[in-house]
Amino acid sequence: MSQQGYVATPPYSQAQPGIGGYPTGFGASPPQAHYGHYGAPPQPYTAQAAGVLKPAASSPSGMPPPPVSSQYGSPIQQNGAHSQKFPPPAVSAPAMPPYGQPLQRPAYQSMAQATPPTQQMTNQMSAMSIGGYGQGPLQSPQSPTSSAAPQPYQMPSAPAMGHPPMSPTGHQPPSMSACPPMTAGPPMGATGAPPMGMPNSQPGLPPMGGGGFQQPGGPQGFPQQPGPYGGQMPGSQMAGPQAGAFAGGFPGGAAHMAGPPQKKLDPDSIPSTTQVIEDDQAKRGGQLYTTNLRGQVPPLVTTSFTVQDQGNASPRFMRCTTYSFPCSSDLAKQCQVPLATIIKPFATVPKNETPLYVVNHGEAGPIRCNRCKAYMCPFMLFIDGGRRYQCSFCNCVNEVPVQYFQHLDHMGRRVDLYERPELSLGSYEFTATLDYCKNNKPPNPPAYIFMIDVSYNNIKSGLVKLICEELKTLLDRLPKEEGAESSSIKVGFVTYNKILHFYNVKSALAQPQMMVVSDVAEMFVPLLDGFLVNFQESRAVINNLLDQIPDMFADTNESETVFAPVIQAGVEALKAAECSGKLFIFHSSLPTAEAPGKLKNRDDRKLVNTEKEKILFQPQRGVYEQLTKDCVAQGCCVDLFVFPNQYVDMATMGDIPTHTGGSVYKYSNFQVQIDGEHFLTDLRRDVEKSIGFDAIMRVRTSTGFRATDFFGAIYMNNTTDVEMAAVDCDKAVTVEFKHDDALNEEAGALIQCALLYTSISGQRRLRVHNLSLNCSSQLSELYKSCETDALINFFAKSAYHAILNQPVKTVREILVKQTAHMLACYRKHCASPSAASQLILPDAMKVFPVYMNSLMKTPVLVGSAELSTDERNFHRLSVMSTGVEESQILLYPRLIPLHSMDVVNEAVPAAVRCSEERLSETGVFLLDNGQNLFLWLGQACPPDLIQSLFNVPSLAHLSPDMTSLPELDNAQSKKLRSIICAISQQRPHSMKMVIVKQKDKPEMLFRQHLVEDKGLHGGASYIDFLCYVHREIRQLLT
Ligand SMILES: [Zn+2]
């Protein structure tokens, strides 16, 4: 290693104009609009009933009907009174359309049975009554040992959401007696108003906004008042105007309903998430989901299904909180159901689904509406013999460019409809022209820079050696363009503690060269040539370097580090190379060395549960704020792998990654032997995953509503352009919509998400996702079309965003009020008349309360000084960019009983509800929340099972440090390992396995995830929450 000492040349790079360098003004309005061009009012997009031969767009699906003489020769198929479906090409037909780039087989495989919308909604409503008030004290569902014998019930003070200081053993097992029987059929047991001892905190409707956190809810009773239930709890009763729907929802529910009077409130009688998941899997699992219908509600994220794009984006790319928007803003305000979509633009497409086609329109570039700049898509309406088209987003009539002209058939559709992805598919890509490139220059391929903290802690723990060893093989697996021989991504290396070391790894060198920059206040990159290289070409020099790094710093005693200058160096290097890219930073401590961005310990848990708690979540600004802007402008994504032994100010250190499309990984008290594999798995996935750089996203909508709020690992310089230094296959952006006018039932609500980005080989591309939703003036349509998993994703992100500016307590209050309000509105406007004492939940939202309650018990919102501030911030940051799959499993983990698993059957055993009372001393359970895998072992679980799984004679012999199962040659071991493997592959992060023995200390960690129970750090049980929400609803309705 030759070292060139302290280099002090001036920086190579110059300030670049920000990200706005797109001459065509990505998304900007053109100077002149062609609106109303023809002197006639623009034609509405959808006008006629199906069957009328008029130019296209007659179907409620928003999709043009298929041509009679399709090239595929399939007959037209009608789906009842609903829209026509696309005819499928015969598989053997000349079906390979001349799409720009034949990536794979065409999308059309077979004609799927589309589900008529009505069919999804037959179980529109289930009902639940928590009635029988005053008939006796409530028997708790929480007491696993409770027998049928009624016990006097004393509600613990502030049983519900108040997060009272609560030790795990600090509450008596509540109980209940003398509840009325479960009944099916018409509502029962609603005898008069209950003597509810709850504070009447809130007369009338609360002054809530349309779903945001704008107005603090004020101290309105719910969370912090002691003893809201008084001494009596309402009894509970199931009843249902639509008992059939209800019985289907709950295992054993029917039996209870039909059976003799029950003495206790059966936990099985309240809506079950595991049952909802199972039912959807049974009903829609394994099926083909075709996207030809407007406003079609997709299967749940937990259901496995295959998507066929027939004109709307796959739910893998876009998932909505409801698929039927209310027509007016008044209705939207009335129901307070958030109107949002969760967009995962780079979502992984399973191997059996068609990857996106790339359309190349040559130098002319993609075709866009002159007025609103929407891209050509299946929603555009061709008229005037094909010479013009009307934009369905803004109604502007545009000329069809000469080179794009095509005749229309007698149905008014272009005859090349099925040859063009942008006319027939919901998702596709365009190759972008130079107009879409910064400074009108094609971009260079991106670069990955590995920046390793070589301070004392990381050397001593063996982390530096581990990273260097791994990189030697990992760099062979950098992502590459489909069909390319090798990756175009360049790589570079930096090590640092208080100063930075850059390495010249040019292939011509016999040895790597180190250059040191000690002036961290004025960061620059001391070399241009040889810093970013092609791994294949420089393999020998790089391997030489990776061998040397651990030795070079083996004797270091430097424990201070810098952080902001490291990111600055990475940005400067990318600027100098004129490319976008990603920084992989491996860091272990609070950056306390004298340098810009120096941080100090500001962890003050006395702020928890005060008005100032938000300070704990707010990042330090100044240097970091500017650095974020620099990163975004350069397309520099930051991934942070942090290995803390103590407080590191996660709020600040994680801020740049989460505004640049990056990820934060945290390995507390890292030990190579225990955590090494866990970390390496994360690193490998992160390096290999599919990703786009220097991205800017616009979400366009048809008239009447617009995107107003955006949550994700994003940066916003204005109100419309979502900037992402990078966006990978796991990152999702949650977008909220608001009305600015009335919506039209016929036209529906159209959304187009356009993402301009640089591919891993340096191509500028536009990825377009289109989705059409229904609109209705009936709120019942909205509630029918709700998606609970998407709703809770929205609420999690908006709440986690709100705590930056509002006390956590206020945010919790707003969440509860809004939950009650949404359900009360359903009750008032959509449900059949029934007694006030009944709790009636919309079928599509029947498990929403359990998710909401779980959200309020997450480390971020629970407001407990026992929790580490860094841990709360880490949780917050990791949720802000997650998709619906991840937020679902996080807020309702899967609890899988293993002791009774059928080792012959391939299937994963059915999950049980997340509650302590589902555990048994003789059992073994696996809990998966997407971040950890807990293997819980009952005290009395059979020794032969322990032997089979762990190869030790008893629990006592089992090491708590074990993080993986030994590979043993027996059926139980193989089965469990295959389950773990299958689960791990579904998750974006590697999951650490934690062995939990019943009644051992780590059990506390595990029990936090039993989300139906009372929270260990505060927060209500599911049933208490439901009772509380019901009370709130009753108040709203009176
Ligand atoms: Zn337009």
Side-chain angles (χ1 to χ4, degrees):
M1 174 78 56
S2 64
Q3 182 168 334
Q4 299 191 345
Y6 297 84
V7 181
T9 46
Y12 291 105
S13 53
Q14 297 181 342
Q16 298 209 348
I19 197 159
Y22 306 105
T24 52
F26 184 78
S29 295
Q32 58 185 40
H34 290 202
Y35 187 77
H37 203 67
Y38 292 100
Q43 298 173 16
Y45 173 55
T46 334
Q48 301 85 27
V52 179
L53 294 186
K54 279 274 280 210
S58 61
S59 71
S61 72
M63 291 296 303
V68 172
S69 56
S70 150
Q71 60 170 310
Y72 309 116
S74 300
I76 292 178
Q77 302 224 359
Q78 300 257 352
N79 183 17
H82 299 284
S83 80
Q84 297 88 339
K85 291 184 289 186
F86 273 23
V91 174
S92 59
M96 177 65 88
Y99 292 163
Q101 192 168 311
L103 286 176
Q104 252 201 24
R105 285 189 17 73
Y108 317 103
Q109 283 161 352
S110 67
M111 181 53 123
Q113 292 302 314
T115 313
T118 49
Q119 190 177 315
Q120 300 157 10
M121 298 151 185
T122 47
N123 288 355
Q124 157 187 3
M125 187 172 68
S126 61
M128 181 170 138
S129 152
I130 296 184
Y133 301 101
Q135 298 189 26
L138 174 65
Q139 181 168 19
S140 168
Q142 273 206 314
S143 164
T145 54
S146 64
S147 67
Q151 296 173 10
Y153 169 61
Q154 186 66 48
M155 202 65 185
S157 64
M161 328 328 115
H163 309 307
M166 192 186 294
S167 72
T169 54
H171 60 273
Q172 306 101 314
S175 60
M176 177 184 75
S177 66
C179 274
M182 298 302 191
T183 50
M188 285 185 55
T191 51
M196 296 178 64
M198 303 185 185
N200 193 11
S201 57
Q202 210 208 320
L205 297 181
M208 289 281 299
F213 291 90
Q214 290 79 14
Q215 308 106 303
Q220 291 183 329
F222 166 50
Q224 312 297 4
Q225 296 202 10
Y229 296 103
Q232 299 255 308
M233 276 295 287
S236 174
Q237 180 193 20
M238 305 290 303
Q242 298 191 0
F246 199 49
F250 311 109
H256 287 297
M257 290 173 187
Q262 301 286 306
K263 293 273 183 170
K264 62 178 261 194
L265 175 56
D266 190 322
D268 280 339
S269 66
I270 55 177
S272 159
T273 300
T274 50
Q275 192 62 41
V276 166
I277 289 171
E278 266 180 48
D279 289 348
D280 197 67
Q281 176 66 36
K283 195 169 144 202
R284 306 182 76 179
Q287 295 181 11
L288 194 61
Y289 176 74
T290 52
T291 66
N292 57 336
L293 293 176
R294 189 178 87 189
Q296 185 180 206
V297 183
L300 298 180
V301 281
T302 43
T303 297
S304 63
F305 57 100
T306 303
V307 181
Q308 190 178 63
D309 185 340
Q310 290 196 0
N312 283 288
S314 159
R316 305 191 199 287
F317 295 124
M318 292 175 86
R319 205 169 251 280
C320 297
T321 53
T322 176
Y323 288 78
S324 179
F325 278 12
C327 276
S328 70
S329 62
D330 281 351
L331 278 177
K333 279 180 192 139
Q334 200 173 28
C335 69
Q336 291 195 9
V337 175
L339 308 177
T341 181
I342 294 95
I343 308 174
K344 212 185 222 185
F346 271 79
T348 306
V349 175
K351 287 198 168 58
N352 61 343
E353 293 177 15
T354 313
L356 300 197
Y357 289 101
V358 181
V359 179
N360 190 343
H361 282 166
E363 284 182 10
I367 293 169
R368 311 174 66 173
C369 170
N370 283 323
R371 184 169 187 241
C372 72
K373 295 289 173 188
Y375 293 86
M376 182 51 67
C377 69
F379 308 142
M380 300 300 187
L381 177 64
F382 286 86
I383 54 174
D384 197 13
R387 286 185 292 276
R388 294 181 174 82
Y389 70 95
Q390 183 174 24
C391 173
S392 301
F393 294 91
C394 71
N395 295 326
C396 171
V397 173
N398 296 272
E399 301 282 334
V400 172
V402 177
Q403 76 280 6
Y404 198 69
F405 174 80
Q406 185 54 263
H407 292 285
L408 307 184
D409 66 16
H410 70 283
M411 301 279 283
R413 288 161 314 205
R414 285 172 62 115
V415 299
D416 62 352
L417 183 69
Y418 296 103
E419 292 160 26
R420 292 191 177 272
E422 76 276 19
L423 297 180
S424 53
L425 299 177
S427 301
Y428 43 86
E429 291 200 334
F430 289 115
T431 51
T433 55
L434 288 181
D435 289 346
Y436 295 85
C437 303
K438 265 182 200 165
N439 308 320
N440 277 10
K441 276 167 63 181
N444 289 315
Y448 284 3
I449 305 177
F450 297 87
M451 314 182 92
I452 308 169
D453 165 1
V454 289
S455 64
Y456 178 77
N457 276 345
N458 280 358
I459 293 290
K460 185 165 160 261
S461 72
L463 176 68
V464 173
K465 194 170 172 53
L466 187 73
I467 295 168
C468 289
E469 278 304 310
E470 180 64 24
L471 288 180
K472 287 190 220 167
T473 50
L474 183 54
L475 295 180
D476 269 322
R477 301 209 296 271
L478 292 169
K480 55 189 181 189
E481 204 78 60
E482 187 96 14
E485 237 173 61
S486 64
S487 175
S488 311
I489 295 172
K490 296 201 165 170
V491 294
F493 304 88
V494 171
T495 55
Y496 67 94
N497 38 48
K498 269 161 69 174
I499 56 176
L500 278 75
H501 326 98
F502 294 79
Y503 297 93
N504 184 342
V505 285
K506 195 153 68 168
S507 60
L509 294 174
Q511 279 237 57
Q513 292 174 340
M514 176 201 266
M515 296 183 192
V516 177
V517 175
S518 57
D519 184 3
V520 290
E522 299 279 333
M523 188 43 62
F524 64 93
V525 181
L527 76 165
L528 184 57
D529 188 31
F531 178 65
L532 294 176
V533 299
N534 179 300
F535 175 66
Q536 313 289 343
E537 290 166 11
S538 289
R539 180 189 301 270
V541 195
I542 290 173
N543 285 348
N544 188 331
L545 171 68
L546 294 170
D547 280 337
Q548 289 190 50
I549 286 175
D551 295 338
M552 276 191 284
F553 301 97
D555 300 325
T556 188
N557 51 17
E558 183 56 71
S559 58
E560 283 198 312
T561 55
V562 295
F563 184 62
V566 177
I567 297 176
Q568 188 75 53
V571 178
E572 297 299 335
L574 296 179
K575 266 188 201 169
E578 297 184 334
C579 67
S580 52
K582 177 144 90 166
L583 313 182
F584 295 78
I585 302 180
F586 306 94
H587 192 96
S588 70
S589 57
L590 193 67
T592 52
E594 205 51 56
K598 172 184 172 178
L599 297 175
K600 57 180 194 297
N601 190 328
R602 58 188 187 100
D603 185 16
D604 182 3
R605 293 197 210 166
K606 287 199 291 294
L607 299 181
V608 171
N609 279 326
T610 70
E611 293 285 309
K612 291 183 178 167
E613 186 169 2
K614 60 191 176 191
I615 292 172
L616 297 176
F617 299 108
Q618 291 167 345
Q620 300 290 70
R621 301 211 172 268
V623 170
Y624 288 97
E625 203 171 12
Q626 183 56 43
L627 206 43
T628 300
K629 286 184 189 164
D630 290 352
C631 284
V632 173
Q634 186 56 39
C636 173
C637 167
V638 178
D639 269 0
L640 178 63
F641 295 79
V642 60
F643 305 84
N645 293 327
Q646 53 198 344
Y647 176 81
V648 291
D649 194 351
M650 187 57 83
T652 303
M653 293 191 68
D655 193 50
I656 293 183
T658 47
H659 281 96
T660 58
S663 304
V664 180
Y665 301 88
K666 178 164 160 285
Y667 310 90
S668 298
N669 303 311
F670 180 81
Q671 289 178 267
V672 166
Q673 298 75 18
I674 297 175
D675 309 296
E677 200 51 41
H678 173 42
F679 154 64
L680 290 179
T681 308
D682 279 336
L683 177 61
R684 287 172 200 141
R685 287 188 190 185
D686 199 283
V687 167
E688 293 174 35
K689 69 181 164 187
S690 98
I691 185 167
F693 289 93
D694 202 8
I696 185 163
M697 185 173 95
R698 264 299 282 273
V699 177
R700 292 185 174 79
T701 54
S702 51
T703 51
F705 73 113
R706 67 195 155 87
T708 54
D709 286 289
F710 301 84
F711 307 104
I714 58 173
Y715 184 80
M716 297 201 59
N717 216 6
N718 55 46
T719 54
T720 52
D721 293 324
V722 182
E723 297 179 40
M724 289 173 281
V727 51
D728 65 47
C729 55
D730 301 319
K731 298 292 183 297
V733 181
T734 297
V735 183
E736 188 182 15
F737 301 102
K738 297 261 168 66
H739 285 74
D740 46 22
D741 203 348
L743 298 176
N744 181 311
E745 286 195 357
E746 284 182 349
L750 310 179
I751 302 168
Q752 181 177 79
C753 160
L755 181 89
L756 177 64
Y757 74 99
T758 300
S759 79
I760 45 174
S761 63
Q763 291 180 39
R764 203 70 177 150
R765 299 237 187 103
L766 266 156
R767 178 170 284 217
V768 182
H769 296 300
N770 303 288
L771 189 62
S772 59
L773 307 177
N774 286 336
C775 294
S776 176
S777 51
Q778 302 298 317
L779 281 179
S780 57
E781 291 298 317
L782 175 145
Y783 283 101
K784 272 182 205 170
S785 306
C786 272
E787 235 273 288
T788 289
D789 298 330
L791 276 170
I792 203 68
N793 179 283
F794 169 83
F795 278 109
K797 290 187 186 181
S798 61
Y800 284 9
H801 179 75
I803 57 165
L804 292 176
N805 303 307
Q806 286 176 279
V808 173
K809 173 173 164 282
T810 307
V811 172
R812 282 198 306 264
E813 285 166 0
I814 292 173
L815 288 174
V816 178
K817 298 288 179 214
Q818 193 165 354
T819 301
H821 197 110
M822 286 159 53
L823 299 174
C825 178
Y826 173 80
R827 171 65 185 264
K828 187 171 179 185
H829 298 286
C830 310
S832 320
S834 56
S837 57
Q838 282 193 306
L839 173 59
I840 313 248
L841 302 170
D843 194 52
M845 284 175 69
K846 70 183 169 202
V847 290
F848 180 74
V850 74
Y851 281 103
M852 178 54 80
N853 187 39
S854 175
L855 172 61
M856 293 198 300
K857 290 188 284 185
T858 56
V860 181
L861 294 180
V862 79
S864 163
E866 289 168 39
L867 295 165
S868 127
T869 303
D870 274 347
E871 191 56 39
R872 296 177 76 194
N873 274 297
F874 174 69
H875 182 90
R876 176 181 173 272
L877 295 174
S878 47
V879 166
M880 286 310 287
S881 61
T882 56
V884 181
E885 297 85 343
E886 294 83 42
S887 53
Q888 185 278 326
I889 191 79
L890 186 66
L891 294 172
Y892 201 96
R894 235 166 132 190
L895 182 61
I896 304 168
L898 298 172
H899 44 278
S900 54
M901 65 188 174
D902 176 1
V903 292
V904 183
N905 192 334
E906 295 247 316
V908 176
V912 296
R913 302 174 73 147
C914 277
S915 168
E916 186 183 346
E917 66 181 46
R918 308 287 159 170
L919 303 175
S920 67
E921 283 201 342
T922 55
V924 175
F925 291 83
L926 188 68
L927 185 140
D928 159 29
N929 72 347
Q931 297 188 340
N932 286 103
L933 271 177
F934 293 92
L935 190 56
W936 184 91
L937 306 163
Q939 269 180 323
C941 74
D944 57 327
L945 187 57
I946 298 292
Q947 183 70 46
S948 305
L949 297 179
F950 303 101
N951 205 21
V952 294
S954 77
L955 271 188
H957 292 79
L958 197 57
S959 160
D961 289 342
M962 183 182 273
T963 56
S964 64
L965 293 174
E967 294 191 15
L968 302 174
D969 188 21
N970 67 68
Q972 278 95 350
S973 173
K974 285 179 183 166
K975 170 83 182 183
L976 177 52
R977 281 182 288 121
S978 85
I979 291 174
I980 289 174
C981 180
I983 290 174
S984 303
Q985 282 172 355
Q986 293 170 8
R987 309 286 175 234
H989 302 291
S990 125
M991 289 190 287
K992 185 175 175 180
M993 194 173 84
V994 183
I995 307 273
V996 178
K997 297 185 210 173
Q998 186 180 11
K999 303 229 163 101
D1000 265 12
K1001 202 178 159 203
E1003 199 186 14
M1004 296 286 281
L1005 280 174
F1006 165 81
R1007 283 167 53 134
Q1008 287 179 30
H1009 303 290
L1010 299 176
V1011 299
E1012 294 202 10
D1013 298 344
K1014 268 190 169 51
L1016 290 186
H1017 302 286
S1021 70
Y1022 176 24
I1023 186 107
D1024 284 349
F1025 182 72
L1026 213 47
C1027 291
Y1028 188 87
V1029 167
H1030 187 207
R1031 184 186 75 92
E1032 294 284 297
I1033 292 171
R1034 289 172 57 98
Q1035 287 194 351
L1036 290 171
L1037 294 176
T1038 50

